[in-house]
Amino acid sequence: MQLNLTFRFSPLTRRLRSGLVVGLALSTFAGIATAQGLFAPVITVNDQVITRYELEQRAEFLKLLGAPGNPDVMAREALIEDRLKMQAVKLYDLEVTPEDIETGIEELSSRAQLSPEEFIKAVEEGGVSVETLRDFAKVNVAWRELVRGLYLSRSRPSDTEIDRAIGSGGSGGVRVLLSELIIPVTPQTQEQVDELAAQVSQVSSFAAFSDAASKYSATQTRTNGGRMDWINLNDLPPGLRPVILALTPGEVTDPIPLPEAVALFQLRDIKESAVTTPRYSTIDYALYYLPGGRTSEALGTAARISRDIDTCDDLYGIAKGQPATQLEMLSQKPSEIPRDVAVELAKLDEGEISTALTRSNGQTLVLLMMCGRTAESNEEATREQVAQSLLQQRLTAYADSYLDQLHADATIVER
């Protein structure tokens, strides 16, 4: 299988890997900037100015980070917000030390899977000054500490709220909105797929991940850019839940190895639901194996079978006279189900079918059918993970509300 690896990923990582020096040298850029009046103020936020140079630097930095949207518009909005945030930080006499800024740069570089030195080098090669990077890190660190100082105590969830979130109280649960990318793997394509998956794991753009899913994913969601519907956290494989909870919207998991595939998930949103989300003691499902892998013939046969059956028991008639290994009917605990199967089952209601999986190095297509779930009331050891997720959601909500208030009260003048 020949994969096209020309997908557009984070320019920052691509510049570092390729060794290309993109943009003008900073010294040259600064000289030209003065001549063109780039250091003249273009926006005033409560009497604090934003220069054209700052706007252009932030726009270039956003391009390097692979941020979605119009970089010029986003730079303007981001710098206005930065001024408002730092004015609030000054109001509360919060000090940001050089060590705090270095920590912020380390966090940024780790997201790009680079060392701080490599990250700074790539930023400079992209035409962005180190001062711009430090200012960006300073605002992020300062605002986070201010928000935690103001709202941490009132954001901590109670035991009852945690119970409700994990479903043990029977009245609520955590729901997540994900996009998925499942890339089939054979021994011949392993290296290419690993490279592709590593690149996708670094994107932060919803559009970029969607584009990758449309091109490379083997699941039915590829026609929708990999976007899944809201799903209960408890329906995901147990080992995947903490991985998803550790994400913030826009972030992508590291590549997750599956049988004959590699999976990546991007978190689009997360919320606490008032709808009951039961846990399950066992899940019943069927696996019917078709020779030919993902050939049009095998997929066509799977489509015809899907149209002809309504329940898992109907598969016994389809498999009649065939080897016993052709059909498997299983009833397993969620923790016992193979991860790739569990991910697909999480998307299915009773009687629904998936044809996303293969076996035998891609030579066998798996027709997977959900037969039923047996609910139970239990309390797995995910309390700390759920509590942290709820805490971050509430801090984010408080931060957004406070920033909206600062924006509404501000005097912003564009020249």
Side-chain angles (χ1 to χ4, degrees):
M1 182 176 87
Q2 186 66 34
L3 293 180
N4 177 10
L5 300 181
T6 59
F7 180 76
R8 297 181 61 189
F9 298 101
S10 169
L12 176 59
T13 302
R14 188 166 63 245
R15 280 177 171 84
L16 185 71
R17 288 180 175 175
S18 65
L20 295 176
V21 178
V22 180
L24 298 173
L26 182 60
S27 58
T28 303
F29 180 82
I32 296 174
T34 303
Q36 294 179 340
L38 292 181
F39 292 98
V42 292
I43 303 173
T44 303
V45 182
N46 292 332
D47 298 326
Q48 285 192 332
V49 301
I50 297 172
T51 67
R52 188 174 303 281
Y53 174 74
E54 290 178 286
L55 285 172
E56 294 198 0
Q57 283 279 288
R58 179 58 64 89
E60 288 301 315
F61 187 49
L62 291 173
K63 291 177 186 177
L64 289 175
L65 296 178
N70 185 317
D72 296 324
V73 174
M74 293 175 61
R76 176 192 174 279
E77 295 173 350
L79 284 170
I80 290 174
E81 289 185 355
D82 283 359
R83 292 294 190 272
L84 295 173
K85 290 175 180 178
M86 293 308 294
Q87 289 167 10
V89 167
K90 183 178 180 180
L91 180 66
Y92 285 92
D93 294 324
L94 182 65
E95 181 182 358
V96 182
T97 67
E99 291 76 18
D100 293 332
I101 296 175
E102 294 304 318
T103 298
I105 293 176
E106 289 178 6
E107 292 175 357
L108 289 170
S109 62
S110 66
R111 294 178 190 175
Q113 298 183 340
L114 303 172
S115 69
E117 294 76 16
E118 291 172 328
F119 188 77
I120 291 172
K121 178 183 177 183
V123 166
E124 290 183 307
E125 290 179 345
V128 178
S129 72
V130 176
E131 288 72 20
T132 296
L133 172 60
R134 293 188 182 280
D135 288 344
F136 182 84
K138 179 180 180 179
V139 174
N140 285 346
V141 171
W143 180 248
R144 180 176 61 196
E145 291 306 309
L146 177 60
V147 169
R148 290 181 69 86
L150 292 175
Y151 303 113
L152 181 62
S153 61
R154 70 180 79 174
S155 298
R156 290 193 176 96
S158 66
D159 287 341
T160 300
E161 289 170 326
I162 297 171
D163 286 341
R164 184 170 69 249
I166 64 175
S168 59
S171 61
V174 171
R175 306 188 76 203
V176 291
L177 193 61
L178 302 174
S179 293
E180 64 174 353
L181 171 59
I182 312 296
I183 312 173
V185 175
T186 65
Q188 294 75 28
T189 63
Q190 184 72 61
E191 184 176 349
Q192 290 174 301
V193 169
D194 287 346
E195 172 69 14
L196 174 62
Q199 293 179 10
V200 176
S201 69
Q202 298 172 19
V203 308
S204 58
S205 161
F206 294 125
F209 190 92
S210 177
D211 191 13
S214 298
K215 291 179 180 178
Y216 303 116
S217 188
T219 66
Q220 287 96 325
T221 57
R222 66 176 297 167
T223 59
N224 192 34
R227 289 182 288 272
M228 300 166 59
D229 294 329
W230 283 100
I231 191 170
N232 297 325
L233 184 69
N234 291 340
D235 287 345
L236 293 173
L240 186 57
R241 296 171 199 165
V243 176
I244 297 300
L245 282 175
L247 300 176
T248 58
E251 289 186 330
V252 179
T253 63
D254 289 334
I256 299 171
L258 303 175
E260 302 194 8
V262 173
L264 299 105
F265 297 91
Q266 183 181 53
L267 180 66
R268 296 181 1 244
D269 201 358
I270 183 170
K271 67 181 179 181
E272 182 181 351
S273 171
V275 179
T276 301
T277 57
R279 305 179 73 86
Y280 303 103
S281 58
T282 57
I283 296 178
D284 301 328
Y285 62 98
L287 299 166
Y288 182 70
Y289 301 103
L290 291 164
R294 303 196 63 79
T295 61
S296 57
E297 181 180 357
L299 289 169
T301 300
R304 288 192 295 273
I305 292 174
S306 300
R307 290 193 297 266
D308 291 342
I309 63 176
D310 298 311
T311 69
C312 288
D313 286 342
D314 293 335
L315 285 170
Y316 286 115
I318 300 294
K320 185 176 181 180
Q322 298 174 356
T325 55
Q326 196 87 11
L327 173 66
E328 288 187 276
M329 293 286 193
L330 300 172
S331 180
Q332 295 179 311
K333 297 178 181 178
S335 60
E336 298 172 342
I337 300 174
R339 180 176 284 181
D340 61 336
V341 174
V343 169
E344 288 303 305
L345 290 174
K347 297 179 283 186
L348 302 178
D349 292 327
E350 185 172 340
E352 290 185 336
I353 289 172
S354 166
T355 56
L357 308 180
T358 60
R359 293 293 185 264
S360 306
N361 291 326
Q363 299 304 305
T364 300
L365 180 68
V366 179
L367 187 151
L368 171 66
M369 188 171 191
M370 166 63 76
C371 303
R373 298 178 173 95
T374 301
E376 71 171 6
S377 178
N378 62 55
E379 188 175 347
E380 269 187 30
T382 59
R383 297 183 63 83
E384 182 177 350
Q385 298 157 358
V386 173
Q388 184 64 25
S389 176
L390 293 176
L391 175 65
Q392 291 304 319
Q393 289 178 57
R394 292 172 184 180
L395 284 174
T396 299
Y398 277 124
D400 291 344
S401 178
Y402 185 29
L403 187 58
D404 287 342
Q405 177 187 335
L406 293 173
H407 205 289
D409 294 340
T411 301
I412 302 172
V413 179
E414 296 198 41
R415 299 174 188 272

